[in-house]
Structure formats: structure tokens, C-alpha cells
Amino acid sequence: ELEHQIKFLMGKQKEMKSHVKEEYKKLQLRLEKELMDAQNDGNEGLTKLLEHANDVSLKQQKLADDEIDKDMLLLKEQIEHLANLRYEKDYWKELELKGVLGQNEQPTYDDFVVDCEKNFELAKEHFDKKMRHIFKGLDNEDHNLIVDYLDQLSTLCKEGELPIEPREPQKDGEEFGLRSCEYGTFIALEERGTFAQTEDFDENNCYFTIEVIQPDESKYTNPLLALSEERVALKTAHGKYISATEQGQLQEKDSIGDEETWVLLYNDDDDVDKFAFKSCFQRYISVNNKGKVFQASQIKKNEWFWKTYPDMLEAIAKEIAEKRAEEERLRKLKEE
């Protein structure tokens, strides 16, 4: 049964590879036509832009093909590995010992198939939407925008990361704390509706609830921005929302408007998702070494946060206790 599951997944990978190839072929034909028109018009600047766009699209197609081929080779190896084991349960046990699965966590066939179909549908939907916006940009003759967007996608095509792979969208109503990646402190809500940092997580003041805001594409002069931006609001324990002020401060407001809407940014350089929040004033939620929470004009180390969930609190408390013990030990050594 497991072998059928893996072969099903390989079939889906082949479908995606064929679909990506066909869509990139359409894009390259369109770019070649635009390039020919630009050359006939003697527009050297536009010719260079379109040549670059075509080169980047070819590079992206190759990256996508290579990554899908890698995944299919890995799946083929899993089938061969499974054939060498006497029982299927030994395969799941091996994954459990390697830490890939939790204890006694053996997916059912139906769950596996549903998850696969959902993931591939999401990837295809994301890819198709991206292509629609690129063609819309070409229709509007916004060639600089298309090149910028293709360049951004190319930059994101790191080794082992598919350019067509979507991030899992934020879950509406999800509750979490925000922990500074730089200081290890939490953003906490104060009684007067302002915000500060705390080392000790307080469930009454440190949890925030995310509300996903769907973009109104008609309000965007840049259609690709509506696709790429993920906008959220952060509800506090008071039932109000974190709001940005033009002066760079943070406060609470009763309802969601522009000042309460944040563009969510990602950074997963360490294989752990870090998040930043950009306000309508083009500033970022930030912390400093004096315990303050405010908006910064640039995004650096102090503007990145980890989401903190209830099952993480025990490990974080232990980490903080060890840090304090070490600080106390060093203080005593210094006194001696």
C-alpha cells in the first residue's frame, strides 16, 4: 500500500513538471514576440529588458525541472528502500527512529492521498496566479515591473527550494506570542494599551491573534504586489489591534484600518521561519536593548520575530533560566 502512495506522489510530480514546462513555454513565446517588436521599433532599452526577462524565465524553468527531478529521484529511492524491508511497518519505524515521524505516528493511506492532492493543488494555484499577473503586466506594457518580479523570483530560487512552491498561508484566528530573534524577549501588552518587552511569557499579555486581510486587487496600481503581499492584523488580549502611528510608535485601536494592517515578511535563512511586520508608513515593528517596542525605518536584526506557541513555553522557560544562571555565575566570578 505504501508503494502505491509513493507512486501516486511521483505521478503528481510528473503532472506538475509538464504543467510548469507548458506555462513557461507560453511565457517565453510571449517574451520573444515582445522582444521582436522592441527590436523592430529600435527601442534598445526595452530590448535589453526583455532579453534579461527571457533569460531569467529560462533559468527559473530549469530550476523547477531540476528540483522536481530531485524529488522524483528521492521518491524512487524510497520505493527501492521499501522493497529491501521485510514489512511496511519497519519503514515507518525507521522514520520514527530518525525523528521524521512522532512516536506511533503512521499516516493512513487516505490521509496521505488527501494531503498530497491538497499540496499539489495549492502549488498549481499559486503558480497559475503568478503567471496570470505576469501576463497582465505584459498586457499593460509594464516591462520594468515584470523584470523586477522575475528577478525577485530568481533570487528566491535557492538550492532545494522550488520557485513554484508556495508558503503555507497564515491561518486566520491563529494565536501565538512574538519573540525577538535578537534578544529572546517577548512583546507584551501593557495595561494602558502600550507595548513593552518581557523575558517572562505571560499568557494574559503576550498572546496575539492573527486576522488575515484579503487584498483588494483593484486598489493596487501594481498587480503583482497584490499577489506577493500577505497582509494581517494582530489582535491583542484586549480585543483591540496593534496600530502604527506616523510618529513611529505602537498603540491599540478598536477596529482595523490602514494603520492596523501589517504586511508580513518572511526570513527562513536558518531553516526556521522568522517574521517581520511592515506598517502602512513603511516602518517595521522593532525592539531595542532598553525594553522598548516601536517602529524602525529599516529592517535589520531587531525587526525579526519568532512565533511562540504554548508547546514551546517549557523549553523557552528552561532556556531563559539557564541564561540567567550563567549570567549570575559570571557576575559572581567578576566580584571575586
Side-chain angles (χ1 to χ4, degrees):
E1 191 173 274
L2 178 58
E3 183 177 343
H4 291 305
Q5 295 172 15
I6 296 175
K7 286 182 176 178
F8 170 82
L9 186 52
M10 290 180 72
K12 283 292 186 181
Q13 289 280 21
K14 288 179 182 177
E15 286 178 22
M16 179 60 84
K17 183 174 180 177
S18 176
H19 180 68
V20 168
K21 183 178 180 180
E22 186 64 29
E23 290 302 307
Y24 270 116
K25 184 178 179 180
K26 291 178 186 176
L27 174 61
Q28 285 147 18
L29 287 172
R30 175 66 183 272
L31 288 172
E32 287 172 5
K33 180 183 180 300
E34 297 272 341
L35 178 58
M36 190 178 296
D37 290 343
Q39 290 171 338
N40 291 336
D41 293 341
N43 191 331
E44 294 183 7
L46 182 56
T47 297
K48 288 181 180 179
L49 274 175
L50 291 169
E51 285 175 344
H52 178 64
N54 196 43
D55 288 343
V56 174
S57 69
L58 289 168
K59 177 183 176 183
Q60 286 181 18
Q61 183 184 344
K62 186 178 185 307
L63 281 167
D65 283 347
D66 290 347
E67 290 304 325
I68 292 175
D69 286 343
K70 280 184 194 176
D71 287 343
M72 291 177 67
L73 180 61
L74 178 62
L75 291 168
K76 185 178 179 182
E77 289 173 353
Q78 294 303 305
I79 290 177
E80 292 171 355
H81 179 60
L82 182 63
N84 293 327
L85 295 172
R86 187 171 181 182
Y87 298 107
E88 185 178 308
K89 65 181 182 182
D90 295 332
Y91 181 84
W92 296 114
K93 189 64 180 176
E94 189 171 297
L95 290 182
E96 183 181 313
L97 291 172
K98 289 180 179 178
V100 177
L101 294 176
Q103 189 173 6
N104 299 321
E105 182 186 348
Q106 180 173 333
T108 66
Y109 176 78
D110 289 340
D111 289 342
F112 186 90
V113 171
V114 169
D115 285 344
C116 287
E117 289 181 341
K118 182 179 178 182
N119 289 339
F120 277 100
E121 285 170 5
L122 183 62
K124 185 176 181 296
E125 179 185 344
H126 179 86
F127 178 76
D128 289 344
K129 191 172 183 180
K130 180 194 76 173
M131 283 298 183
R132 284 198 299 273
H133 281 282
I134 288 176
F135 278 104
K136 186 174 180 180
L138 285 169
D139 291 339
N140 293 335
E141 298 185 356
D142 198 342
H143 299 103
N144 281 299
L145 175 65
I146 298 302
V147 172
D148 287 345
Y149 188 57
L150 287 169
D151 275 336
Q152 290 171 24
L153 288 173
S154 182
T155 302
L156 292 173
C157 293
K158 301 174 184 176
E159 184 178 351
E161 181 178 323
L162 265 176
I164 60 170
E165 181 179 6
R167 291 185 180 276
E168 185 173 347
Q170 297 301 303
K171 296 176 182 177
D172 204 37
E174 183 181 40
E175 191 177 56
F176 52 82
L178 289 175
R179 189 184 186 204
S180 166
C181 298
E182 180 67 9
Y183 300 112
T185 52
F186 300 97
I187 292 182
L189 172 65
E190 298 182 304
E191 285 187 13
R192 59 181 182 273
T194 55
F195 300 90
Q197 296 175 68
T198 178
E199 286 191 347
D200 299 308
F201 190 92
D202 183 344
E203 294 186 2
N204 295 318
N205 299 317
C206 294
Y207 273 133
F208 301 96
T209 304
I210 202 165
E211 291 192 10
V212 178
I213 299 173
Q214 299 298 330
D216 181 355
E217 295 184 18
S218 65
K219 294 183 178 180
Y220 282 80
T221 55
N222 177 343
L224 297 177
L225 198 58
L227 172 66
S228 61
E229 286 189 343
E230 192 167 4
R231 298 155 67 82
V232 300
L234 295 169
K235 184 186 286 187
T236 71
H238 292 169
K240 299 182 180 182
Y241 299 90
I242 297 182
S243 178
T245 70
E246 194 171 357
Q247 293 73 33
Q249 304 303 315
L250 296 175
Q251 60 185 6
E252 278 191 306
K253 283 290 184 69
D254 292 328
S255 58
I256 300 174
D258 289 343
E259 291 83 1
E260 294 72 46
T261 300
W262 302 86
V263 174
L264 192 62
L265 305 174
Y266 294 85
N267 181 337
D268 53 6
D269 289 342
D270 302 323
D271 295 325
V272 177
D273 277 341
K274 301 174 183 177
F275 301 88
F277 300 86
K278 183 170 72 172
S279 75
C280 61
F281 302 111
Q282 308 303 307
R283 296 193 184 105
Y284 307 86
I285 294 180
S286 181
V287 294
N288 61 19
N289 59 3
K290 297 180 181 179
K292 291 186 177 181
V293 181
F294 56 98
Q295 295 176 75
S297 58
Q298 295 182 340
I299 186 165
K300 296 182 180 179
K301 291 182 178 180
N302 292 10
E303 290 68 55
W304 292 105
F305 298 88
W306 292 303
K307 286 182 179 179
T308 303
Y309 300 100
D311 59 355
M312 298 176 168
L313 294 179
E314 185 176 342
I316 291 172
K318 183 179 179 182
E319 176 189 326
I320 292 172
E322 289 174 352
K323 177 184 174 184
R324 288 175 176 171
E326 179 63 13
E327 289 174 349
E328 180 64 17
R329 185 184 70 81
L330 293 174
R331 185 186 65 78
K332 287 181 179 179
L333 282 175
K334 189 175 180 180
E335 288 177 354
E336 293 174 359

